[in-house]
Amino acid sequence: MMDRLKLSRIDEELVSSEVAALCFLCGEVVNRKRLEGIKDAKALFLRLEEKGLLEDSVFLSQLLHIIRRADLLSLLETDSRRPEETDANPILSNYRVMLYKLYEDMTNEHFEKMKFLLHSKLGRRQVEACNTALDVFAEMEKNGFLSNTNLDELHKVMLELDQQLASLIKEYMQGFSGVTQPHLQTRLSPHVSMDYQRVNSTPQSPEPQPILPISETRQSMGGESVYCDAEPKIKASSLLDEKEYYALIHNPRGLCVVINNEEFRGTGLRNRGGTQEDEKVLNAVFSQLGFTVVVHNNLTAEAMRHEIQQLGTRNFMADDALVVCVLSHGEKGCVFGTDELKVSLREVTQPFTSSRAPTLAGKPKLFFIQACQGSAYQEGAVPCPPRPRQEDGDRRSRLEEDAGPVHGETVPTDADFLLGMATVPECKSFRNTSTGSIYIQELCEQLMRSARSSENDDILSVLTRVNREVSKGEYLSHKQMPEPKYTLTKKLVLKCV
């Protein structure tokens, strides 16, 4: 929690109209009822504290920038950390910022005319109770005439007031984030505004990169780029026991499908700066591991389902394995499409069960999910207790109790899956807006280290190292703990092809 003395000082500097503006901007992260009756910033800060939004200065910094009170930032602690953020639900939306921009640019004449035009729709008493344009917007939302996907009525009204105001809404409706650029870019600190800057600035052509463009700036890599050695490649299928290891005999090995959701225009979700770095490194790594990489950018929930279901109908006879990577926002048990609608993780994996995709039966199916799984933070600094010793006899008896009857050589429908999650349930995952997500970058680093090694490390050993390296770090003063889940029946060793 931030220093209450500093929050009290900020409260003293804010006038009532600014507090009302802050409440409006928080309308998508705090329940509307919880915002009713707030007269000073201290009450708002308590609501934000309940939501865990004052654990650092990031959210409050954004709010102060938007209402043009950057002078109060000196009361907050300076933050020199890297531009890391989470893939949980964002804290401010372009929709709310766009409405605030309209409010700022409207004259008193515009305001009075807007109230007049909306009299019949909102009711005289409700309209006359509105003291600012923000009050009118809130009343329109209550009556179902305005939302982040329904701006037609507001656009019609703005056309009657001012063409420039109407153009702001039109640009937002068309998905252009340029609405927020003049208002935000010059006033947000780099680590806070990276999403906005990334969206609104002209993309620069990347410099030619090595075939494996893992960022050299990542501390965990020690500045070392990783390549496959030129020494002869070890083929697991020919040198390893086929009863213990999955056979990898085809070239290409199979498909690696990447769903990369970066832009969430017109929703309450922020764009995911840095995700293109994840897409690049996944493309490079799995290409070298012998997979044909297919990338789908910015899919809605329905489009995600369609692509996954279509992939499930593929004939996988000539494939040794399947890899699916989903990079998006998420909550527990699901990921989001770019339209902010949910796709459950079960929907992502189910089309590839042995009953649904029989040509994948007995073959490894790998799913890597870069997304938050909740709004909680993984905490650290917990000492490890000593482990009690267990006698061999106890261990054997415990194994005997857990063992089931032997049914012969059959393939369960949910066998041979690996689900690599960026974080444990209920918790957030972190992404650097310049170099990519913590989990995907470390995953690719460890995959390539294993691929170049003379040891035959299987995928579970690789993911254990990923767990260890990611858990060592500290991200925005918090920890991250990846979580692999699997029903693999053999060891999988991935080498360069």
Side-chain angles (χ1 to χ4, degrees), residues 277-313:
E277 297 304 313
D278 289 345
E279 182 270 312
K280 288 177 188 176
V281 74
L282 287 168
N283 198 328
V285 167
F286 281 99
S287 293
Q288 290 186 82
L289 295 177
F291 289 83
T292 299
V293 180
V294 178
V295 177
H296 299 291
N297 286 305
N298 299 317
L299 298 185
T300 63
E302 188 58 36
M304 289 174 67
R305 292 189 186 94
H306 174 76
E307 292 295 341
I308 290 167
Q309 290 166 4
Q310 283 294 107
L311 180 61
T313 65

mmCIF file of all heavy atoms in Angstrom, residues 277-313:
data_model
loop_
_atom_site.group_PDB
_atom_site.id
_atom_site.type_symbol
_atom_site.label_atom_id
_atom_site.label_comp_id
_atom_site.label_asym_id
_atom_site.label_seq_id
_atom_site.Cartn_x
_atom_site.Cartn_y
_atom_site.Cartn_z
ATOM 1 N N GLU A 277 7.390 -9.397 -29.413
ATOM 2 C CA GLU A 277 8.687 -10.015 -29.125
ATOM 3 C C GLU A 277 8.500 -11.491 -28.771
ATOM 4 O O GLU A 277 9.337 -12.329 -29.127
ATOM 5 C CB GLU A 277 9.383 -9.277 -27.975
ATOM 6 C CG GLU A 277 9.716 -7.823 -28.279
ATOM 7 C CD GLU A 277 10.576 -7.687 -29.531
ATOM 8 O OE1 GLU A 277 11.568 -8.443 -29.648
ATOM 9 O OE2 GLU A 277 10.247 -6.851 -30.382
ATOM 10 N N ASP A 278 7.414 -11.801 -28.068
ATOM 11 C CA ASP A 278 7.118 -13.209 -27.762
ATOM 12 C C ASP A 278 6.825 -13.986 -29.036
ATOM 13 O O ASP A 278 7.286 -15.118 -29.216
ATOM 14 C CB ASP A 278 5.924 -13.303 -26.812
ATOM 15 C CG ASP A 278 6.253 -12.835 -25.409
ATOM 16 O OD1 ASP A 278 7.459 -12.709 -25.094
ATOM 17 O OD2 ASP A 278 5.318 -12.592 -24.629
ATOM 18 N N GLU A 279 6.043 -13.387 -29.922
ATOM 19 C CA GLU A 279 5.715 -14.066 -31.184
ATOM 20 C C GLU A 279 6.972 -14.329 -32.000
ATOM 21 O O GLU A 279 7.152 -15.409 -32.573
ATOM 22 C CB GLU A 279 4.714 -13.211 -31.968
ATOM 23 C CG GLU A 279 4.259 -13.830 -33.287
ATOM 24 C CD GLU A 279 5.139 -13.424 -34.460
ATOM 25 O OE1 GLU A 279 5.416 -12.219 -34.605
ATOM 26 O OE2 GLU A 279 5.564 -14.315 -35.213
ATOM 27 N N LYS A 280 7.867 -13.349 -32.053
ATOM 28 C CA LYS A 280 9.102 -13.513 -32.827
ATOM 29 C C LYS A 280 9.954 -14.648 -32.284
ATOM 30 O O LYS A 280 10.476 -15.476 -33.050
ATOM 31 C CB LYS A 280 9.913 -12.208 -32.794
ATOM 32 C CG LYS A 280 9.338 -11.074 -33.609
ATOM 33 C CD LYS A 280 10.199 -9.829 -33.429
ATOM 34 C CE LYS A 280 9.569 -8.608 -34.068
ATOM 35 N NZ LYS A 280 10.373 -7.391 -33.808
ATOM 36 N N VAL A 281 10.136 -14.685 -30.972
ATOM 37 C CA VAL A 281 11.029 -15.690 -30.399
ATOM 38 C C VAL A 281 10.404 -17.085 -30.479
ATOM 39 O O VAL A 281 11.105 -18.076 -30.709
ATOM 40 C CB VAL A 281 11.418 -15.314 -28.952
ATOM 41 C CG1 VAL A 281 10.302 -15.535 -27.971
ATOM 42 C CG2 VAL A 281 12.668 -16.062 -28.519
ATOM 43 N N LEU A 282 9.083 -17.200 -30.320
ATOM 44 C CA LEU A 282 8.422 -18.489 -30.487
ATOM 45 C C LEU A 282 8.573 -18.980 -31.918
ATOM 46 O O LEU A 282 8.833 -20.171 -32.169
ATOM 47 C CB LEU A 282 6.936 -18.377 -30.123
ATOM 48 C CG LEU A 282 6.607 -18.254 -28.636
ATOM 49 C CD1 LEU A 282 5.147 -17.860 -28.441
ATOM 50 C CD2 LEU A 282 6.907 -19.556 -27.892
ATOM 51 N N ASN A 283 8.400 -18.068 -32.860
ATOM 52 C CA ASN A 283 8.553 -18.410 -34.277
ATOM 53 C C ASN A 283 9.958 -18.926 -34.551
ATOM 54 O O ASN A 283 10.156 -19.971 -35.191
ATOM 55 C CB ASN A 283 8.252 -17.174 -35.133
ATOM 56 C CG ASN A 283 7.950 -17.519 -36.574
ATOM 57 O OD1 ASN A 283 8.478 -18.480 -37.106
ATOM 58 N ND2 ASN A 283 7.087 -16.729 -37.194
ATOM 59 N N ALA A 284 10.953 -18.208 -34.038
ATOM 60 C CA ALA A 284 12.342 -18.591 -34.282
ATOM 61 C C ALA A 284 12.695 -19.922 -33.628
ATOM 62 O O ALA A 284 13.319 -20.793 -34.243
ATOM 63 C CB ALA A 284 13.271 -17.487 -33.771
ATOM 64 N N VAL A 285 12.305 -20.095 -32.371
ATOM 65 C CA VAL A 285 12.667 -21.298 -31.627
ATOM 66 C C VAL A 285 12.017 -22.539 -32.223
ATOM 67 O O VAL A 285 12.686 -23.545 -32.512
ATOM 68 C CB VAL A 285 12.295 -21.150 -30.137
ATOM 69 C CG1 VAL A 285 12.373 -22.496 -29.426
ATOM 70 C CG2 VAL A 285 13.213 -20.148 -29.468
ATOM 71 N N PHE A 286 10.706 -22.509 -32.421
ATOM 72 C CA PHE A 286 10.028 -23.718 -32.894
ATOM 73 C C PHE A 286 10.337 -24.003 -34.364
ATOM 74 O O PHE A 286 10.268 -25.167 -34.786
ATOM 75 C CB PHE A 286 8.528 -23.629 -32.625
ATOM 76 C CG PHE A 286 8.194 -23.942 -31.191
ATOM 77 C CD1 PHE A 286 7.966 -22.927 -30.274
ATOM 78 C CD2 PHE A 286 8.163 -25.259 -30.749
ATOM 79 C CE1 PHE A 286 7.700 -23.224 -28.951
ATOM 80 C CE2 PHE A 286 7.889 -25.566 -29.425
ATOM 81 C CZ PHE A 286 7.661 -24.542 -28.518
ATOM 82 N N SER A 287 10.709 -22.989 -35.134
ATOM 83 C CA SER A 287 11.202 -23.251 -36.490
ATOM 84 C C SER A 287 12.488 -24.062 -36.431
ATOM 85 O O SER A 287 12.678 -25.020 -37.187
ATOM 86 C CB SER A 287 11.435 -21.932 -37.238
ATOM 87 O OG SER A 287 10.217 -21.260 -37.475
ATOM 88 N N GLN A 288 13.377 -23.676 -35.525
ATOM 89 C CA GLN A 288 14.629 -24.405 -35.395
ATOM 90 C C GLN A 288 14.426 -25.801 -34.819
ATOM 91 O O GLN A 288 15.228 -26.716 -35.082
ATOM 92 C CB GLN A 288 15.599 -23.618 -34.500
ATOM 93 C CG GLN A 288 16.103 -22.348 -35.168
ATOM 94 C CD GLN A 288 17.155 -21.662 -34.329
ATOM 95 O OE1 GLN A 288 18.319 -22.026 -34.363
ATOM 96 N NE2 GLN A 288 16.727 -20.666 -33.569
ATOM 97 N N LEU A 289 13.368 -25.977 -34.040
ATOM 98 C CA LEU A 289 13.067 -27.294 -33.494
ATOM 99 C C LEU A 289 12.324 -28.170 -34.489
ATOM 100 O O LEU A 289 11.949 -29.304 -34.163
ATOM 101 C CB LEU A 289 12.242 -27.153 -32.212
ATOM 102 C CG LEU A 289 12.951 -26.463 -31.037
ATOM 103 C CD1 LEU A 289 12.013 -26.322 -29.844
ATOM 104 C CD2 LEU A 289 14.213 -27.211 -30.628
ATOM 105 N N GLY A 290 12.115 -27.658 -35.699
ATOM 106 C CA GLY A 290 11.562 -28.475 -36.770
ATOM 107 C C GLY A 290 10.076 -28.349 -36.996
ATOM 108 O O GLY A 290 9.480 -29.158 -37.716
ATOM 109 N N PHE A 291 9.440 -27.343 -36.423
ATOM 110 C CA PHE A 291 8.001 -27.166 -36.581
ATOM 111 C C PHE A 291 7.690 -26.113 -37.648
ATOM 112 O O PHE A 291 8.453 -25.163 -37.840
ATOM 113 C CB PHE A 291 7.361 -26.741 -35.254
ATOM 114 C CG PHE A 291 7.326 -27.823 -34.220
ATOM 115 C CD1 PHE A 291 8.436 -28.090 -33.426
ATOM 116 C CD2 PHE A 291 6.183 -28.589 -34.042
ATOM 117 C CE1 PHE A 291 8.413 -29.086 -32.464
ATOM 118 C CE2 PHE A 291 6.148 -29.596 -33.082
ATOM 119 C CZ PHE A 291 7.267 -29.857 -32.299
ATOM 120 N N THR A 292 6.586 -26.300 -38.315
ATOM 121 C CA THR A 292 6.048 -25.271 -39.201
ATOM 122 C C THR A 292 5.224 -24.313 -38.346
ATOM 123 O O THR A 292 4.246 -24.738 -37.712
ATOM 124 C CB THR A 292 5.155 -25.879 -40.288
ATOM 125 O OG1 THR A 292 5.936 -26.785 -41.075
ATOM 126 C CG2 THR A 292 4.577 -24.792 -41.183
ATOM 127 N N VAL A 293 5.607 -23.063 -38.306
ATOM 128 C CA VAL A 293 4.963 -22.094 -37.416
ATOM 129 C C VAL A 293 3.888 -21.315 -38.171
ATOM 130 O O VAL A 293 4.136 -20.784 -39.255
ATOM 131 C CB VAL A 293 5.997 -21.124 -36.808
ATOM 132 C CG1 VAL A 293 5.302 -20.123 -35.880
ATOM 133 C CG2 VAL A 293 7.070 -21.906 -36.048
ATOM 134 N N VAL A 294 2.703 -21.257 -37.584
ATOM 135 C CA VAL A 294 1.580 -20.491 -38.134
ATOM 136 C C VAL A 294 1.146 -19.485 -37.073
ATOM 137 O O VAL A 294 0.891 -19.869 -35.925
ATOM 138 C CB VAL A 294 0.397 -21.403 -38.513
ATOM 139 C CG1 VAL A 294 -0.778 -20.572 -39.024
ATOM 140 C CG2 VAL A 294 0.819 -22.439 -39.547
ATOM 141 N N VAL A 295 1.070 -18.204 -37.447
ATOM 142 C CA VAL A 295 0.736 -17.146 -36.483
ATOM 143 C C VAL A 295 -0.609 -16.532 -36.845
ATOM 144 O O VAL A 295 -0.863 -16.192 -38.012
ATOM 145 C CB VAL A 295 1.823 -16.052 -36.467
ATOM 146 C CG1 VAL A 295 1.434 -14.926 -35.504
ATOM 147 C CG2 VAL A 295 3.175 -16.650 -36.080
ATOM 148 N N HIS A 296 -1.467 -16.392 -35.851
ATOM 149 C CA HIS A 296 -2.742 -15.681 -36.001
ATOM 150 C C HIS A 296 -2.702 -14.474 -35.069
ATOM 151 O O HIS A 296 -2.573 -14.629 -33.857
ATOM 152 C CB HIS A 296 -3.918 -16.579 -35.637
ATOM 153 C CG HIS A 296 -4.047 -17.810 -36.476
ATOM 154 N ND1 HIS A 296 -4.397 -17.775 -37.808
ATOM 155 C CD2 HIS A 296 -3.841 -19.117 -36.175
ATOM 156 C CE1 HIS A 296 -4.428 -18.995 -38.290
ATOM 157 N NE2 HIS A 296 -4.089 -19.841 -37.316
ATOM 158 N N ASN A 297 -2.833 -13.288 -35.621
ATOM 159 C CA ASN A 297 -2.778 -12.068 -34.823
ATOM 160 C C ASN A 297 -4.171 -11.522 -34.557
ATOM 161 O O ASN A 297 -5.017 -11.480 -35.460
ATOM 162 C CB ASN A 297 -1.945 -10.993 -35.539
ATOM 163 C CG ASN A 297 -0.462 -11.292 -35.477
ATOM 164 O OD1 ASN A 297 0.099 -11.473 -34.407
ATOM 165 N ND2 ASN A 297 0.184 -11.356 -36.628
ATOM 166 N N ASN A 298 -4.401 -11.117 -33.318
ATOM 167 C CA ASN A 298 -5.582 -10.344 -32.934
ATOM 168 C C ASN A 298 -6.894 -11.023 -33.332
ATOM 169 O O ASN A 298 -7.616 -10.554 -34.208
ATOM 170 C CB ASN A 298 -5.498 -8.928 -33.526
ATOM 171 C CG ASN A 298 -4.289 -8.179 -33.023
ATOM 172 O OD1 ASN A 298 -3.974 -8.220 -31.841
ATOM 173 N ND2 ASN A 298 -3.592 -7.494 -33.918
ATOM 174 N N LEU A 299 -7.192 -12.112 -32.669
ATOM 175 C CA LEU A 299 -8.419 -12.853 -32.926
ATOM 176 C C LEU A 299 -9.457 -12.580 -31.843
ATOM 177 O O LEU A 299 -9.137 -12.548 -30.651
ATOM 178 C CB LEU A 299 -8.139 -14.360 -32.957
ATOM 179 C CG LEU A 299 -7.188 -14.879 -34.031
ATOM 180 C CD1 LEU A 299 -7.123 -16.406 -33.976
ATOM 181 C CD2 LEU A 299 -7.586 -14.410 -35.416
ATOM 182 N N THR A 300 -10.699 -12.409 -32.266
ATOM 183 C CA THR A 300 -11.796 -12.348 -31.303
ATOM 184 C C THR A 300 -11.989 -13.734 -30.692
ATOM 185 O O THR A 300 -11.417 -14.727 -31.160
ATOM 186 C CB THR A 300 -13.101 -11.918 -31.986
ATOM 187 O OG1 THR A 300 -13.459 -12.921 -32.960
ATOM 188 C CG2 THR A 300 -12.935 -10.565 -32.673
ATOM 189 N N ALA A 301 -12.810 -13.820 -29.673
ATOM 190 C CA ALA A 301 -13.058 -15.111 -29.037
ATOM 191 C C ALA A 301 -13.637 -16.106 -30.042
ATOM 192 O O ALA A 301 -13.225 -17.267 -30.091
ATOM 193 C CB ALA A 301 -14.001 -14.931 -27.840
ATOM 194 N N GLU A 302 -14.584 -15.653 -30.855
ATOM 195 C CA GLU A 302 -15.193 -16.550 -31.835
ATOM 196 C C GLU A 302 -14.177 -16.979 -32.885
ATOM 197 O O GLU A 302 -14.157 -18.143 -33.314
ATOM 198 C CB GLU A 302 -16.391 -15.864 -32.506
ATOM 199 C CG GLU A 302 -17.202 -16.769 -33.408
ATOM 200 C CD GLU A 302 -17.747 -17.989 -32.675
ATOM 201 O OE1 GLU A 302 -18.106 -17.864 -31.486
ATOM 202 O OE2 GLU A 302 -17.809 -19.069 -33.302
ATOM 203 N N ALA A 303 -13.310 -16.052 -33.300
ATOM 204 C CA ALA A 303 -12.278 -16.399 -34.285
ATOM 205 C C ALA A 303 -11.265 -17.382 -33.691
ATOM 206 O O ALA A 303 -10.778 -18.279 -34.393
ATOM 207 C CB ALA A 303 -11.568 -15.141 -34.767
ATOM 208 N N MET A 304 -10.963 -17.229 -32.408
ATOM 209 C CA MET A 304 -10.067 -18.187 -31.747
ATOM 210 C C MET A 304 -10.685 -19.578 -31.768
ATOM 211 O O MET A 304 -10.011 -20.573 -32.102
ATOM 212 C CB MET A 304 -9.791 -17.741 -30.311
ATOM 213 C CG MET A 304 -8.895 -16.513 -30.199
ATOM 214 S SD MET A 304 -8.740 -15.916 -28.491
ATOM 215 C CE MET A 304 -7.843 -17.276 -27.725
ATOM 216 N N ARG A 305 -11.948 -19.672 -31.389
ATOM 217 C CA ARG A 305 -12.621 -20.969 -31.385
ATOM 218 C C ARG A 305 -12.625 -21.580 -32.786
ATOM 219 O O ARG A 305 -12.394 -22.787 -32.965
ATOM 220 C CB ARG A 305 -14.054 -20.824 -30.882
ATOM 221 C CG ARG A 305 -14.172 -20.467 -29.412
ATOM 222 C CD ARG A 305 -15.609 -20.566 -28.945
ATOM 223 N NE ARG A 305 -15.735 -20.097 -27.569
ATOM 224 C CZ ARG A 305 -16.069 -18.856 -27.227
ATOM 225 N NH1 ARG A 305 -16.323 -17.951 -28.177
ATOM 226 N NH2 ARG A 305 -16.155 -18.506 -25.957
ATOM 227 N N HIS A 306 -12.890 -20.747 -33.784
ATOM 228 C CA HIS A 306 -12.946 -21.241 -35.163
ATOM 229 C C HIS A 306 -11.599 -21.811 -35.599
ATOM 230 O O HIS A 306 -11.535 -22.922 -36.155
ATOM 231 C CB HIS A 306 -13.368 -20.107 -36.103
ATOM 232 C CG HIS A 306 -13.316 -20.480 -37.555
ATOM 233 N ND1 HIS A 306 -14.270 -21.280 -38.149
ATOM 234 C CD2 HIS A 306 -12.397 -20.178 -38.535
ATOM 235 C CE1 HIS A 306 -13.960 -21.459 -39.431
ATOM 236 N NE2 HIS A 306 -12.835 -20.807 -39.678
ATOM 237 N N GLU A 307 -10.521 -21.064 -35.345
ATOM 238 C CA GLU A 307 -9.195 -21.521 -35.767
ATOM 239 C C GLU A 307 -8.802 -22.803 -35.039
ATOM 240 O O GLU A 307 -8.216 -23.714 -35.635
ATOM 241 C CB GLU A 307 -8.151 -20.437 -35.510
ATOM 242 C CG GLU A 307 -8.291 -19.194 -36.377
ATOM 243 C CD GLU A 307 -8.064 -19.488 -37.859
ATOM 244 O OE1 GLU A 307 -7.456 -20.530 -38.181
ATOM 245 O OE2 GLU A 307 -8.484 -18.677 -38.697
ATOM 246 N N ILE A 308 -9.122 -22.888 -33.751
ATOM 247 C CA ILE A 308 -8.775 -24.076 -32.972
ATOM 248 C C ILE A 308 -9.576 -25.284 -33.441
ATOM 249 O O ILE A 308 -9.050 -26.389 -33.606
ATOM 250 C CB ILE A 308 -9.003 -23.804 -31.475
ATOM 251 C CG1 ILE A 308 -7.951 -22.809 -30.962
ATOM 252 C CG2 ILE A 308 -8.947 -25.093 -30.661
ATOM 253 C CD1 ILE A 308 -8.260 -22.241 -29.602
ATOM 254 N N GLN A 309 -10.867 -25.085 -33.689
ATOM 255 C CA GLN A 309 -11.696 -26.191 -34.161
ATOM 256 C C GLN A 309 -11.281 -26.655 -35.548
ATOM 257 O O GLN A 309 -11.267 -27.863 -35.833
ATOM 258 C CB GLN A 309 -13.170 -25.772 -34.132
ATOM 259 C CG GLN A 309 -13.724 -25.636 -32.719
ATOM 260 C CD GLN A 309 -15.047 -24.899 -32.666
ATOM 261 O OE1 GLN A 309 -15.617 -24.538 -33.708
ATOM 262 N NE2 GLN A 309 -15.546 -24.656 -31.455
ATOM 263 N N GLN A 310 -10.924 -25.709 -36.420
ATOM 264 C CA GLN A 310 -10.428 -26.075 -37.752
ATOM 265 C C GLN A 310 -9.135 -26.862 -37.647
ATOM 266 O O GLN A 310 -8.932 -27.849 -38.362
ATOM 267 C CB GLN A 310 -10.215 -24.818 -38.600
ATOM 268 C CG GLN A 310 -11.481 -24.204 -39.154
ATOM 269 C CD GLN A 310 -12.153 -25.123 -40.157
ATOM 270 O OE1 GLN A 310 -13.194 -25.725 -39.878
ATOM 271 N NE2 GLN A 310 -11.554 -25.260 -41.330
ATOM 272 N N LEU A 311 -8.252 -26.428 -36.762
ATOM 273 C CA LEU A 311 -6.996 -27.140 -36.566
ATOM 274 C C LEU A 311 -7.255 -28.563 -36.082
ATOM 275 O O LEU A 311 -6.552 -29.501 -36.475
ATOM 276 C CB LEU A 311 -6.132 -26.380 -35.565
ATOM 277 C CG LEU A 311 -4.765 -26.985 -35.223
ATOM 278 C CD1 LEU A 311 -3.887 -27.087 -36.468
ATOM 279 C CD2 LEU A 311 -4.061 -26.137 -34.151
ATOM 280 N N GLY A 312 -8.283 -28.738 -35.263
ATOM 281 C CA GLY A 312 -8.603 -30.061 -34.742
ATOM 282 C C GLY A 312 -9.045 -31.044 -35.809
ATOM 283 O O GLY A 312 -8.986 -32.256 -35.601
ATOM 284 N N THR A 313 -9.505 -30.545 -36.968
ATOM 285 C CA THR A 313 -9.944 -31.431 -38.051
ATOM 286 C C THR A 313 -8.794 -31.841 -38.968
ATOM 287 O O THR A 313 -8.998 -32.629 -39.895
ATOM 288 C CB THR A 313 -11.023 -30.734 -38.902
ATOM 289 O OG1 THR A 313 -10.449 -29.583 -39.560
ATOM 290 C CG2 THR A 313 -12.194 -30.276 -38.038
#
